[in-house]
Amino acid sequence: MKNLFRFAPAALAGLLLLTGCPGKNDTADTSAAQEAALPKTPAFNADSAYAYTARQVAFGPRVPNTAAHVKTGDWIIGQFKKYGLAVQEQPFEAKAFDGNILKSRNIIARYNPAAPRRVAVFAHWDTRPFADKDTENKNAPLDGASDGASGVAVALELARVLAAQPDSLAPGVGVDFILFDSEDYGYDGITQADKTNLLGSEDSWCLGSQYWSKNMVPANYKPNFGILLDMVGAQGAKFSRENLSREKAPDVIEKVWNTASQLGFSDFFIYADAPGIDDDHVYTNRAGIRTIDILDFLPSGEFRPYHHTTKDNMSIIDRRTLKAVGQTVLTVIYGE
Ligand SMILES: [Zn+2]
């Protein structure tokens, strides 16, 4: 989803930051940070991530209270179990802005669950029920190939790769994949001005992460940091450095963007700041987990044209984007 936080225009100033140009380092410290050797990391398979995206889309829009939604949730859980991860479901009912009660579940899958030093990978697995930014089909459901399916697909491929190389992470390191439901059923005050928002001033988005942050599974969960993946599959994606991520976890932003740069993915992970957005990381940060948001979101604070339209389908999914995100996150995990 995401509503823009209401930022003053001044907050949008100062867009371009540093670049990772070799030979332009001001201090020995930055030089060391930028040239640190990357950890030995297995390959993230983009074909596999693409197939996971297509599989979810093939179920149909994953809108809460539909059969496609239930089937997709079962399939995601089955995949994690197949790779040997410990899976927990967190069922809950959420009241939506239109009064519907959404039968929802968050999915938590833990790799190496006994390890004390943990990284959280977050995504949402539901689909927005209407293409409200579409010019013609505003009430049509959307495929959510990038918005929803791609983040889950990258998480599943990360789980598959980890499971295929037992004991390859540093000793004591584990990873948790936490997939939120009912993230994208929110009220958009611009495109849905003709509708009534029964939730009033409450946040109508991110219902799964709101629930989870107040009822954490696992209890007292304290990973080192978290990475939220949202809209990470579209061709030509631009991941700019979102405001709340920079505020709450500046070191994680630096680590992820520098890793992407070293891997040659700077055309996706751009060194430009973006304003804050309302996404699941708002609630994970509120729960004390320092979380960044890797999100296809322009420095201007705008989304690209496919967002919340029927164009968000498999035709925009690009293996290179999935690879850039997946290989970067995997390398960061192997560096823990
Ligand atoms: Zn969305």
Side-chain angles (χ1 to χ4, degrees):
M1 117 31 36
K2 308 62 247 276
N3 281 339
L4 264 182
F5 286 142
R6 300 293 171 209
F7 274 105
L12 295 174
L15 294 179
L16 256 195
L17 276 190
L18 62 157
T19 66
C21 293
K24 267 193 68 186
N25 305 311
D26 296 319
T27 68
D29 279 354
T30 31
S31 172
Q34 291 183 354
E35 291 169 14
L38 293 175
K40 190 170 180 300
T41 305
F44 177 93
N45 188 319
D47 287 332
S48 177
Y50 184 92
Y52 292 143
T53 309
R55 185 72 188 88
Q56 291 170 79
V57 170
F59 280 112
R62 283 78 63 212
V63 175
N65 301 345
T66 66
H69 180 254
V70 173
K71 282 182 195 162
T72 308
D74 291 347
W75 176 80
I76 292 168
I77 289 165
Q79 292 301 121
F80 280 129
K81 284 185 175 167
K82 194 166 106 183
Y83 305 140
L85 276 72
V87 184
Q88 285 171 274
E89 297 176 53
Q90 182 182 49
F92 64 99
E93 291 192 341
K95 188 177 172 191
F97 77 88
D98 57 5
N100 277 340
I101 302 296
L102 308 180
K103 287 196 171 64
S104 310
R105 56 179 157 167
N106 295 324
I107 298 168
I108 299 100
R110 313 193 75 202
Y111 175 75
N112 204 2
R117 187 176 167 83
R118 310 202 63 79
V119 176
V121 174
F122 301 107
H124 76 88
W125 70 273
D126 63 305
T127 318
R128 185 154 181 75
F130 19 69
D132 50 310
K133 288 188 175 176
D134 220 288
T135 46
E136 289 169 9
N137 307 303
K138 291 180 187 301
N139 292 313
L142 53 152
D143 286 347
S146 188
D147 194 356
S150 67
V152 173
V154 169
L156 285 172
E157 174 58 9
L158 291 170
R160 190 194 67 78
V161 172
L162 287 168
Q165 351 264 329
D167 303 321
S168 60
L169 289 180
V173 174
V175 182
D176 302 297
F177 301 95
I178 300 181
L179 307 184
F180 298 121
D181 202 352
S182 298
E183 186 269 356
D184 231 349
Y185 205 113
Y187 174 78
D188 186 319
I190 295 170
T191 59
Q192 299 178 295
D194 57 328
K195 297 196 166 128
T196 305
N197 176 7
L198 297 175
L199 291 178
S201 59
E202 285 174 53
D203 185 356
S204 61
W205 304 87
C206 305
L207 301 177
S209 56
Q210 291 193 54
Y211 183 85
W212 181 85
S213 67
K214 293 177 190 139
N215 307 276
M216 280 174 131
V217 175
N220 304 313
Y221 184 51
K222 284 191 175 53
N224 268 18
F225 60 88
I227 297 176
L228 171 60
L229 307 173
D230 194 1
M231 295 189 273
V232 293
Q235 186 176 29
K238 297 290 174 210
F239 307 117
S240 51
R241 294 148 62 110
E242 186 268 345
N243 186 69
L244 185 68
S245 309
R246 279 181 283 122
E247 246 176 41
K248 297 291 187 183
D251 55 317
V252 182
I253 282 276
E254 290 309 320
K255 181 161 53 180
V256 169
W257 260 252
N258 289 341
T259 300
S261 168
Q262 282 183 271
L263 289 169
F265 298 133
S266 284
D267 44 343
F268 296 101
F269 288 81
I270 57 174
Y271 280 83
D273 291 349
I277 55 138
D278 181 8
D279 205 350
D280 289 319
H281 70 314
V282 170
Y283 297 96
T284 59
N285 274 304
R286 211 170 276 179
I289 300 168
R290 302 179 321 109
T291 310
I292 67 160
D293 194 359
I294 299 179
L295 174 88
D296 193 358
F297 183 56
L298 299 170
S300 62
E302 293 164 304
F303 290 98
R304 297 200 303 132
Y306 70 83
H307 182 244
H308 292 179
T309 74
T310 51
K311 290 195 177 66
D312 186 359
N313 56 45
M314 284 308 292
S315 71
I316 65 163
I317 298 299
D318 188 339
R319 287 171 178 79
R320 286 175 298 170
T321 309
L322 295 166
K323 175 73 175 178
V325 174
Q327 196 65 55
T328 297
V329 173
L330 191 61
T331 305
V332 167
I333 290 170
Y334 271 81
E336 273 300 290

